[in-house]
Amino acid sequence: MAIEIHSPPFEKICDGLKGAEGPVFDKNGDFFMVAPEVEDSNGQSAGEILKIDLKTGSATKWCLPRSDGVGGIPAGCQIDKENALWVADMRLGLLKVTVSQTDSTKGVFVQVRKQSDDGKPMQGCNDCAFDPSGNLWVTAPAGEIAPAPYRRSMEEPFGSVYCYTSDGKMILVDTGYRFSNGIAVTRNGATLIVAETPTKSLWAYDINGPGSVSNKRLWGRLPGEHEGGPDGMDFDRDGRLLVANWGSGHLEVFDESGVHVSRIKCPFKNPSNLHFEPGSGVVYVTEHEFHGLWKFSWTTPGQRQYCEL
């Protein structure tokens, strides 16, 4: 059976944002994303959390995470019900960013935890997704957070998954991934999906409770022999999962059972992440060819986010 290919018109919002990633709307309708590949004059990480004016495409540096002299590498983002921005950072772990009390145009961050509840140092994080109960599931493909040296690999299986529970526990859920990347939770909160990039795999778990999973299985696999694989992803309201297939020039669409049903052709090679505008079928996509932000219209609105419930 031939896979259907959609070719919707894409509109570019902006480009030149190094490592463009982490698109998200807050509860006020403001739009944020990150530029994780920014470096300082010494070639050290100096990633930026950006606020984007979607009408003009202008980017404002909203928060520049840095801890003990080490700059961040922010990646995936989510918004909670109090309108705080949660950021998965490859150098600093999990960050919570809120509006500065002294300058409302800026955000201030806190490093949520430096260790998990088992006493081990946190690993660098890449993406995150809330379940309907407010537990935040987080992929962590990097080595130990700063001040440990930065470590990442597509070959060594040290990538992990955490859950930061609604009562403040940081639970190591699983490990052994070759670069755990995108992450998503089904609308009923029953299933967790984790992307493993170099193997082009989407793994599923049954969610038993906060930080508790079982029945790991291969849920879906992305097509193609190109370099890369699954990156960020998001569900639509019909339960279909849209997955950024880095290096392929496409977003892949899977049905509720993990069957690959269609592709969305992009005007760029390396889609990195995607996010639905709340209550809408408009999808915002970040990418690494032009380091830009684009949008297109999908047939179905996005699954309601935790902050909308």
Side-chain angles (χ1 to χ4, degrees):
M1 180 178 173
I3 295 293
E4 183 180 8
I5 298 180
H6 304 276
S7 299
F10 276 71
E11 177 185 340
K12 183 165 67 173
I13 307 299
C14 54
D15 59 16
L17 307 174
K18 294 183 178 180
E21 185 76 83
V24 69
F25 282 89
D26 74 2
K27 296 181 70 172
N28 298 326
D30 292 325
F31 186 88
F32 297 88
M33 57 180 289
V34 298
E37 295 179 9
V38 175
E39 296 181 342
D40 63 22
S41 58
N42 297 316
Q44 301 301 307
S45 58
E48 301 171 348
I49 301 171
L50 306 170
K51 188 175 184 179
I52 307 295
D53 185 326
L54 295 177
K55 293 181 179 178
T56 66
S58 62
T60 301
K61 297 178 184 179
W62 193 65
C63 183
L64 307 177
R66 176 172 289 270
S67 179
D68 296 326
V70 178
I73 304 179
C77 301
Q78 289 288 320
I79 295 289
D80 68 15
K81 289 189 176 182
E82 283 68 52
N83 214 32
L85 176 67
W86 293 77
V87 182
D89 191 293
M90 292 282 279
R91 286 300 278 132
L92 305 178
L94 182 62
L95 310 179
K96 182 180 180 181
V97 191
T98 54
V99 176
S100 169
Q101 294 185 348
T102 58
D103 182 353
S104 61
T105 67
K106 299 295 182 183
V108 293
F109 80 95
V110 292
Q111 205 170 359
V112 175
R113 293 283 292 274
K114 294 187 177 182
Q115 292 182 330
S116 53
D117 276 30
D118 59 7
K120 296 179 180 178
M122 279 287 296
Q123 291 176 239
C125 300
N126 184 270
D127 209 350
C128 52
F130 280 107
D131 66 24
S133 299
N135 305 295
L136 186 63
W137 301 82
V138 186
T139 54
E144 293 180 6
I145 59 172
Y150 185 41
R151 182 182 178 215
R152 60 176 286 166
S153 172
M154 290 287 178
E155 301 302 323
E156 297 179 79
F158 57 78
S160 299
V161 178
Y162 291 95
C163 182
Y164 184 67
T165 67
S166 59
D167 60 356
K169 296 178 181 177
M170 182 68 78
I171 299 171
L172 178 63
V173 174
D174 199 5
T175 191
Y177 277 92
R178 288 175 56 194
F179 209 89
S180 47
N181 199 328
I183 192 166
V185 179
T186 55
R187 56 189 165 186
N188 60 3
T191 306
L192 177 71
I193 309 293
V194 176
E196 185 176 42
T197 302
T199 64
K200 307 187 190 305
S201 302
L202 300 172
W203 297 95
Y205 301 82
D206 296 336
I207 297 177
N208 304 319
S212 174
V213 298
S214 61
N215 190 27
K216 181 181 180 181
R217 68 250 183 217
L218 183 64
W219 185 82
R221 192 181 294 278
L222 275 66
E225 301 300 324
H226 60 274
E227 177 188 1
D231 201 329
M233 51 195 182
D234 217 349
F235 280 103
D236 73 12
R237 201 165 290 179
D238 290 339
R240 293 174 295 189
L241 185 66
L242 279 63
V243 183
N245 190 355
W246 196 98
S248 76
H250 290 82
L251 308 177
E252 312 296 347
V253 184
F254 294 81
D255 69 13
E256 289 183 288
S257 60
V259 175
H260 183 218
V261 293
S262 62
R263 313 186 80 191
I264 301 166
K265 185 174 176 57
C266 304
F268 40 80
K269 183 180 179 182
N270 303 322
S272 60
N273 213 328
L274 60 107
H275 185 74
F276 281 89
E277 182 175 356
S280 164
V282 177
V283 184
Y284 286 80
V285 185
T286 53
E287 50 85 16
H288 293 164
E289 182 176 357
F290 307 104
H291 297 275
L293 172 69
W294 305 64
K295 70 175 181 179
F296 73 95
S297 292
W298 182 232
T299 57
T300 307
Q303 174 177 294
R304 294 177 71 192
Q305 302 286 319
Y306 169 66
C307 63
E308 301 174 70
L309 299 177

